[in-house]
Amino acid sequence: MISIQQEDFDLAHELQQLRKSCNQMGAFVSFVGLVRDYATQGQVTAIELEYYPAMTYKSLVRIVQQAELRWPLLGLRVIHRIGYLPAHAQIVLVAVASQHRHSAFAACEFIMDYLKTEAPFWKKEYINGQNYWVEAKATDTQALAKWQN
């Protein structure tokens, strides 16, 4: 259900596994985030993600549990990669199965909004031979606010 890993993932394989594990599924929605190749300081060649294993895993479990309380989900898969990742690499997968599309779309978006703001990952961008720690974005906090009302 939840993985934090350095290795890349095979999207088709992960979706096939989710599909096989769910009965009465009417929809599944997936989101794959990629390492952007741009930032305000210039062209990004890579990022590096650090985390504290026990704390980060517990945080992801809480996020998933909150989604399961809000929507009737049949299954889900969350993969978040860590380590050094070049531009355009896959960084995150959120896949959600439900009987209906509305629940699957909403839960997928909810999980991503919480991952961006509440999961304890520290990200460093490599730009033009320099590196910068990435601060939280106001737009991510605004996206989270809609779930907290």
Side-chain angles (χ1 to χ4, degrees), residues 28-62:
F28 71 96
V29 170
S30 64
F31 171 83
V32 175
L34 306 176
V35 176
R36 288 188 199 106
D37 63 354
Y38 61 90
T40 55
Q41 299 94 340
Q43 185 172 357
V44 176
T45 56
I47 65 168
E48 189 169 4
L49 281 153
E50 296 181 8
Y51 77 119
Y52 181 70
M55 178 174 44
T56 304
Y57 186 79
K58 286 179 186 175
S59 177
L60 297 183
V61 168
R62 279 192 304 273

mmCIF file of all heavy atoms in Angstrom, residues 28-62:
data_model
loop_
_atom_site.group_PDB
_atom_site.id
_atom_site.type_symbol
_atom_site.label_atom_id
_atom_site.label_comp_id
_atom_site.label_asym_id
_atom_site.label_seq_id
_atom_site.Cartn_x
_atom_site.Cartn_y
_atom_site.Cartn_z
ATOM 1 N N PHE A 28 -10.438 3.716 -11.165
ATOM 2 C CA PHE A 28 -9.229 4.013 -10.420
ATOM 3 C C PHE A 28 -8.557 5.190 -11.077
ATOM 4 O O PHE A 28 -8.621 5.387 -12.280
ATOM 5 C CB PHE A 28 -8.313 2.811 -10.162
ATOM 6 C CG PHE A 28 -7.579 2.242 -11.335
ATOM 7 C CD1 PHE A 28 -6.277 2.623 -11.605
ATOM 8 C CD2 PHE A 28 -8.155 1.268 -12.138
ATOM 9 C CE1 PHE A 28 -5.576 2.066 -12.663
ATOM 10 C CE2 PHE A 28 -7.475 0.700 -13.190
ATOM 11 C CZ PHE A 28 -6.179 1.105 -13.452
ATOM 12 N N VAL A 29 -7.975 6.013 -10.220
ATOM 13 C CA VAL A 29 -7.342 7.255 -10.643
ATOM 14 C C VAL A 29 -5.908 7.217 -10.155
ATOM 15 O O VAL A 29 -5.640 6.798 -9.032
ATOM 16 C CB VAL A 29 -8.082 8.477 -10.038
ATOM 17 C CG1 VAL A 29 -7.314 9.761 -10.270
ATOM 18 C CG2 VAL A 29 -9.482 8.583 -10.615
ATOM 19 N N SER A 30 -5.003 7.666 -11.013
ATOM 20 C CA SER A 30 -3.602 7.696 -10.595
ATOM 21 C C SER A 30 -2.983 9.043 -10.936
ATOM 22 O O SER A 30 -3.402 9.721 -11.873
ATOM 23 C CB SER A 30 -2.809 6.573 -11.253
ATOM 24 O OG SER A 30 -2.780 6.744 -12.648
ATOM 25 N N PHE A 31 -1.997 9.387 -10.138
ATOM 26 C CA PHE A 31 -1.206 10.590 -10.358
ATOM 27 C C PHE A 31 0.255 10.193 -10.247
ATOM 28 O O PHE A 31 0.648 9.511 -9.298
ATOM 29 C CB PHE A 31 -1.520 11.660 -9.306
ATOM 30 C CG PHE A 31 -0.580 12.825 -9.371
ATOM 31 C CD1 PHE A 31 -0.788 13.855 -10.283
ATOM 32 C CD2 PHE A 31 0.541 12.881 -8.553
ATOM 33 C CE1 PHE A 31 0.101 14.919 -10.362
ATOM 34 C CE2 PHE A 31 1.426 13.935 -8.626
ATOM 35 C CZ PHE A 31 1.212 14.960 -9.534
ATOM 36 N N VAL A 32 1.057 10.630 -11.204
ATOM 37 C CA VAL A 32 2.502 10.433 -11.150
ATOM 38 C C VAL A 32 3.147 11.804 -11.194
ATOM 39 O O VAL A 32 2.918 12.579 -12.125
ATOM 40 C CB VAL A 32 3.015 9.576 -12.325
ATOM 41 C CG1 VAL A 32 4.535 9.492 -12.304
ATOM 42 C CG2 VAL A 32 2.406 8.188 -12.279
ATOM 43 N N GLY A 33 3.924 12.120 -10.172
ATOM 44 C CA GLY A 33 4.674 13.366 -10.145
ATOM 45 C C GLY A 33 6.082 13.141 -10.655
ATOM 46 O O GLY A 33 6.693 12.093 -10.385
ATOM 47 N N LEU A 34 6.582 14.100 -11.411
ATOM 48 C CA LEU A 34 7.928 14.033 -11.986
ATOM 49 C C LEU A 34 8.798 15.136 -11.402
ATOM 50 O O LEU A 34 8.299 16.184 -10.989
ATOM 51 C CB LEU A 34 7.861 14.207 -13.504
ATOM 52 C CG LEU A 34 6.938 13.266 -14.264
ATOM 53 C CD1 LEU A 34 6.913 13.652 -15.737
ATOM 54 C CD2 LEU A 34 7.354 11.821 -14.086
ATOM 55 N N VAL A 35 10.100 14.917 -11.425
ATOM 56 C CA VAL A 35 11.043 15.957 -11.022
ATOM 57 C C VAL A 35 11.029 17.030 -12.108
ATOM 58 O O VAL A 35 11.313 16.750 -13.271
ATOM 59 C CB VAL A 35 12.472 15.391 -10.848
ATOM 60 C CG1 VAL A 35 13.457 16.503 -10.532
ATOM 61 C CG2 VAL A 35 12.496 14.303 -9.775
ATOM 62 N N ARG A 36 10.666 18.242 -11.715
ATOM 63 C CA ARG A 36 10.631 19.351 -12.673
ATOM 64 C C ARG A 36 12.043 19.733 -13.088
ATOM 65 O O ARG A 36 12.981 19.621 -12.303
ATOM 66 C CB ARG A 36 9.966 20.571 -12.040
ATOM 67 C CG ARG A 36 8.496 20.425 -11.868
ATOM 68 C CD ARG A 36 7.903 21.768 -11.410
ATOM 69 N NE ARG A 36 6.610 21.553 -10.824
ATOM 70 C CZ ARG A 36 6.358 21.605 -9.526
ATOM 71 N NH1 ARG A 36 7.294 21.928 -8.674
ATOM 72 N NH2 ARG A 36 5.149 21.381 -9.076
ATOM 73 N N ASP A 37 12.173 20.235 -14.309
ATOM 74 C CA ASP A 37 13.490 20.662 -14.787
ATOM 75 C C ASP A 37 13.653 22.178 -14.712
ATOM 76 O O ASP A 37 14.542 22.736 -15.340
ATOM 77 C CB ASP A 37 13.740 20.155 -16.207
ATOM 78 C CG ASP A 37 12.764 20.725 -17.221
ATOM 79 O OD1 ASP A 37 11.812 21.440 -16.835
ATOM 80 O OD2 ASP A 37 12.948 20.436 -18.419
ATOM 81 N N TYR A 38 12.799 22.832 -13.945
ATOM 82 C CA TYR A 38 12.884 24.291 -13.826
ATOM 83 C C TYR A 38 12.545 24.731 -12.404
ATOM 84 O O TYR A 38 11.861 24.031 -11.664
ATOM 85 C CB TYR A 38 11.916 24.959 -14.809
ATOM 86 C CG TYR A 38 10.469 24.578 -14.554
ATOM 87 C CD1 TYR A 38 9.668 25.324 -13.690
ATOM 88 C CD2 TYR A 38 9.910 23.451 -15.141
ATOM 89 C CE1 TYR A 38 8.362 24.960 -13.424
ATOM 90 C CE2 TYR A 38 8.605 23.081 -14.885
ATOM 91 C CZ TYR A 38 7.827 23.847 -14.028
ATOM 92 O OH TYR A 38 6.537 23.467 -13.764
ATOM 93 N N ALA A 39 13.053 25.892 -12.042
ATOM 94 C CA ALA A 39 12.751 26.548 -10.770
ATOM 95 C C ALA A 39 13.002 28.035 -10.966
ATOM 96 O O ALA A 39 13.552 28.449 -12.000
ATOM 97 C CB ALA A 39 13.643 25.998 -9.652
ATOM 98 N N THR A 40 12.650 28.836 -9.993
ATOM 99 C CA THR A 40 12.850 30.282 -10.139
ATOM 100 C C THR A 40 14.331 30.645 -10.288
ATOM 101 O O THR A 40 14.655 31.631 -10.932
ATOM 102 C CB THR A 40 12.252 31.037 -8.942
ATOM 103 O OG1 THR A 40 12.805 30.509 -7.745
ATOM 104 C CG2 THR A 40 10.740 30.904 -8.917
ATOM 105 N N GLN A 41 15.227 29.826 -9.748
ATOM 106 C CA GLN A 41 16.662 30.114 -9.833
ATOM 107 C C GLN A 41 17.299 29.637 -11.136
ATOM 108 O O GLN A 41 18.446 29.941 -11.405
ATOM 109 C CB GLN A 41 17.425 29.485 -8.652
ATOM 110 C CG GLN A 41 17.012 29.989 -7.300
ATOM 111 C CD GLN A 41 15.956 29.097 -6.665
ATOM 112 O OE1 GLN A 41 15.263 28.336 -7.324
ATOM 113 N NE2 GLN A 41 15.818 29.199 -5.350
ATOM 114 N N GLY A 42 16.582 28.833 -11.929
ATOM 115 C CA GLY A 42 17.157 28.340 -13.180
ATOM 116 C C GLY A 42 16.769 26.910 -13.479
ATOM 117 O O GLY A 42 15.819 26.377 -12.915
ATOM 118 N N GLN A 43 17.542 26.289 -14.366
ATOM 119 C CA GLN A 43 17.252 24.925 -14.794
ATOM 120 C C GLN A 43 17.699 23.916 -13.736
ATOM 121 O O GLN A 43 18.858 23.917 -13.309
ATOM 122 C CB GLN A 43 17.940 24.623 -16.121
ATOM 123 C CG GLN A 43 17.562 23.263 -16.649
ATOM 124 C CD GLN A 43 18.075 23.006 -18.045
ATOM 125 O OE1 GLN A 43 18.674 23.859 -18.663
ATOM 126 N NE2 GLN A 43 17.833 21.802 -18.534
ATOM 127 N N VAL A 44 16.778 23.058 -13.356
ATOM 128 C CA VAL A 44 17.043 22.019 -12.370
ATOM 129 C C VAL A 44 17.600 20.796 -13.082
ATOM 130 O O VAL A 44 17.005 20.301 -14.036
ATOM 131 C CB VAL A 44 15.757 21.639 -11.602
ATOM 132 C CG1 VAL A 44 16.007 20.489 -10.644
ATOM 133 C CG2 VAL A 44 15.195 22.846 -10.866
ATOM 134 N N THR A 45 18.756 20.309 -12.611
ATOM 135 C CA THR A 45 19.319 19.089 -13.185
ATOM 136 C C THR A 45 18.930 17.859 -12.368
ATOM 137 O O THR A 45 18.871 16.755 -12.905
ATOM 138 C CB THR A 45 20.851 19.172 -13.276
ATOM 139 O OG1 THR A 45 21.376 19.443 -11.971
ATOM 140 C CG2 THR A 45 21.270 20.259 -14.242
ATOM 141 N N ALA A 46 18.650 18.073 -11.072
ATOM 142 C CA ALA A 46 18.273 16.958 -10.197
ATOM 143 C C ALA A 46 17.735 17.515 -8.884
ATOM 144 O O ALA A 46 17.877 18.709 -8.604
ATOM 145 C CB ALA A 46 19.482 16.071 -9.915
ATOM 146 N N ILE A 47 17.132 16.618 -8.109
ATOM 147 C CA ILE A 47 16.777 16.946 -6.732
ATOM 148 C C ILE A 47 17.297 15.830 -5.844
ATOM 149 O O ILE A 47 17.624 14.734 -6.323
ATOM 150 C CB ILE A 47 15.260 17.114 -6.523
ATOM 151 C CG1 ILE A 47 14.526 15.782 -6.754
ATOM 152 C CG2 ILE A 47 14.701 18.234 -7.380
ATOM 153 C CD1 ILE A 47 13.090 15.797 -6.285
ATOM 154 N N GLU A 48 17.363 16.124 -4.573
ATOM 155 C CA GLU A 48 17.713 15.112 -3.590
ATOM 156 C C GLU A 48 16.694 15.188 -2.473
ATOM 157 O O GLU A 48 16.455 16.260 -1.917
ATOM 158 C CB GLU A 48 19.125 15.343 -3.061
ATOM 159 C CG GLU A 48 19.632 14.217 -2.215
ATOM 160 C CD GLU A 48 21.121 14.341 -1.923
ATOM 161 O OE1 GLU A 48 21.741 15.344 -2.310
ATOM 162 O OE2 GLU A 48 21.655 13.414 -1.290
ATOM 163 N N LEU A 49 16.078 14.055 -2.174
ATOM 164 C CA LEU A 49 15.063 13.986 -1.129
ATOM 165 C C LEU A 49 15.614 13.232 0.061
ATOM 166 O O LEU A 49 16.098 12.107 -0.072
ATOM 167 C CB LEU A 49 13.808 13.276 -1.639
ATOM 168 C CG LEU A 49 12.906 14.135 -2.479
ATOM 169 C CD1 LEU A 49 12.111 13.301 -3.447
ATOM 170 C CD2 LEU A 49 11.994 14.941 -1.602
ATOM 171 N N GLU A 50 15.490 13.857 1.222
ATOM 172 C CA GLU A 50 15.878 13.223 2.475
ATOM 173 C C GLU A 50 14.641 13.031 3.328
ATOM 174 O O GLU A 50 13.642 13.742 3.154
ATOM 175 C CB GLU A 50 16.895 14.098 3.210
ATOM 176 C CG GLU A 50 18.196 14.258 2.466
ATOM 177 C CD GLU A 50 19.216 15.110 3.211
ATOM 178 O OE1 GLU A 50 18.977 15.452 4.384
ATOM 179 O OE2 GLU A 50 20.243 15.433 2.604
ATOM 180 N N TYR A 51 14.719 12.084 4.247
ATOM 181 C CA TYR A 51 13.577 11.820 5.125
ATOM 182 C C TYR A 51 14.050 11.103 6.373
ATOM 183 O O TYR A 51 15.179 10.611 6.439
ATOM 184 C CB TYR A 51 12.524 10.997 4.388
ATOM 185 C CG TYR A 51 12.856 9.522 4.261
ATOM 186 C CD1 TYR A 51 12.034 8.563 4.816
ATOM 187 C CD2 TYR A 51 13.996 9.080 3.587
ATOM 188 C CE1 TYR A 51 12.322 7.209 4.704
ATOM 189 C CE2 TYR A 51 14.292 7.740 3.473
ATOM 190 C CZ TYR A 51 13.452 6.807 4.029
ATOM 191 O OH TYR A 51 13.738 5.474 3.930
ATOM 192 N N TYR A 52 13.184 11.077 7.375
ATOM 193 C CA TYR A 52 13.425 10.311 8.589
ATOM 194 C C TYR A 52 12.472 9.119 8.521
ATOM 195 O O TYR A 52 11.254 9.305 8.604
ATOM 196 C CB TYR A 52 13.175 11.176 9.820
ATOM 197 C CG TYR A 52 13.428 10.466 11.117
ATOM 198 C CD1 TYR A 52 14.725 10.137 11.509
ATOM 199 C CD2 TYR A 52 12.385 10.120 11.952
ATOM 200 C CE1 TYR A 52 14.961 9.475 12.690
ATOM 201 C CE2 TYR A 52 12.603 9.464 13.146
ATOM 202 C CZ TYR A 52 13.900 9.141 13.505
ATOM 203 O OH TYR A 52 14.140 8.481 14.679
ATOM 204 N N PRO A 53 12.984 7.896 8.299
ATOM 205 C CA PRO A 53 12.129 6.763 7.941
ATOM 206 C C PRO A 53 10.889 6.546 8.811
ATOM 207 O O PRO A 53 9.773 6.517 8.285
ATOM 208 C CB PRO A 53 13.077 5.570 8.012
ATOM 209 C CG PRO A 53 14.418 6.146 7.705
ATOM 210 C CD PRO A 53 14.412 7.522 8.345
ATOM 211 N N ALA A 54 11.040 6.409 10.100
ATOM 212 C CA ALA A 54 9.883 6.082 10.944
ATOM 213 C C ALA A 54 8.858 7.210 10.944
ATOM 214 O O ALA A 54 7.650 6.977 10.804
ATOM 215 C CB ALA A 54 10.339 5.770 12.360
ATOM 216 N N MET A 55 9.319 8.432 11.075
ATOM 217 C CA MET A 55 8.411 9.579 11.122
ATOM 218 C C MET A 55 7.687 9.753 9.790
ATOM 219 O O MET A 55 6.476 9.995 9.753
ATOM 220 C CB MET A 55 9.178 10.854 11.477
ATOM 221 C CG MET A 55 8.312 12.092 11.503
ATOM 222 S SD MET A 55 9.098 13.612 12.081
ATOM 223 C CE MET A 55 10.668 13.618 11.288
ATOM 224 N N THR A 56 8.395 9.645 8.688
ATOM 225 C CA THR A 56 7.791 9.850 7.384
ATOM 226 C C THR A 56 6.778 8.755 7.072
ATOM 227 O O THR A 56 5.672 9.041 6.599
ATOM 228 C CB THR A 56 8.874 9.912 6.296
ATOM 229 O OG1 THR A 56 9.805 10.948 6.641
ATOM 230 C CG2 THR A 56 8.290 10.202 4.940
ATOM 231 N N TYR A 57 7.110 7.517 7.343
ATOM 232 C CA TYR A 57 6.177 6.423 7.078
ATOM 233 C C TYR A 57 4.897 6.598 7.892
ATOM 234 O O TYR A 57 3.787 6.443 7.358
ATOM 235 C CB TYR A 57 6.830 5.068 7.362
ATOM 236 C CG TYR A 57 5.943 3.918 6.951
ATOM 237 C CD1 TYR A 57 5.852 3.534 5.614
ATOM 238 C CD2 TYR A 57 5.163 3.238 7.881
ATOM 239 C CE1 TYR A 57 5.018 2.504 5.214
ATOM 240 C CE2 TYR A 57 4.328 2.209 7.493
ATOM 241 C CZ TYR A 57 4.259 1.847 6.172
ATOM 242 O OH TYR A 57 3.422 0.826 5.777
ATOM 243 N N LYS A 58 5.026 6.924 9.174
ATOM 244 C CA LYS A 58 3.843 7.136 10.013
ATOM 245 C C LYS A 58 2.986 8.273 9.475
ATOM 246 O O LYS A 58 1.756 8.215 9.511
ATOM 247 C CB LYS A 58 4.250 7.425 11.455
ATOM 248 C CG LYS A 58 4.725 6.213 12.198
ATOM 249 C CD LYS A 58 5.143 6.575 13.614
ATOM 250 C CE LYS A 58 5.752 5.375 14.304
ATOM 251 N NZ LYS A 58 6.272 5.711 15.636
ATOM 252 N N SER A 59 3.617 9.301 8.971
ATOM 253 C CA SER A 59 2.888 10.425 8.394
ATOM 254 C C SER A 59 2.098 9.986 7.167
ATOM 255 O O SER A 59 0.927 10.365 6.993
ATOM 256 C CB SER A 59 3.870 11.539 8.027
ATOM 257 O OG SER A 59 3.202 12.600 7.409
ATOM 258 N N LEU A 60 2.700 9.180 6.299
ATOM 259 C CA LEU A 60 2.000 8.692 5.112
ATOM 260 C C LEU A 60 0.829 7.792 5.492
ATOM 261 O O LEU A 60 -0.242 7.864 4.876
ATOM 262 C CB LEU A 60 2.963 7.956 4.186
ATOM 263 C CG LEU A 60 4.105 8.772 3.587
ATOM 264 C CD1 LEU A 60 4.921 7.923 2.630
ATOM 265 C CD2 LEU A 60 3.615 10.019 2.911
ATOM 266 N N VAL A 61 1.014 6.971 6.509
ATOM 267 C CA VAL A 61 -0.075 6.114 6.986
ATOM 268 C C VAL A 61 -1.239 6.972 7.471
ATOM 269 O O VAL A 61 -2.403 6.706 7.134
ATOM 270 C CB VAL A 61 0.410 5.155 8.100
ATOM 271 C CG1 VAL A 61 -0.762 4.479 8.803
ATOM 272 C CG2 VAL A 61 1.360 4.116 7.524
ATOM 273 N N ARG A 62 -0.971 8.029 8.223
ATOM 274 C CA ARG A 62 -2.042 8.914 8.708
ATOM 275 C C ARG A 62 -2.786 9.581 7.549
ATOM 276 O O ARG A 62 -4.004 9.703 7.572
ATOM 277 C CB ARG A 62 -1.472 9.982 9.648
ATOM 278 C CG ARG A 62 -1.249 9.497 11.061
ATOM 279 C CD ARG A 62 -0.978 10.633 12.020
ATOM 280 N NE ARG A 62 0.151 11.471 11.639
ATOM 281 C CZ ARG A 62 1.411 11.243 11.963
ATOM 282 N NH1 ARG A 62 1.718 10.193 12.704
ATOM 283 N NH2 ARG A 62 2.369 12.059 11.577
#
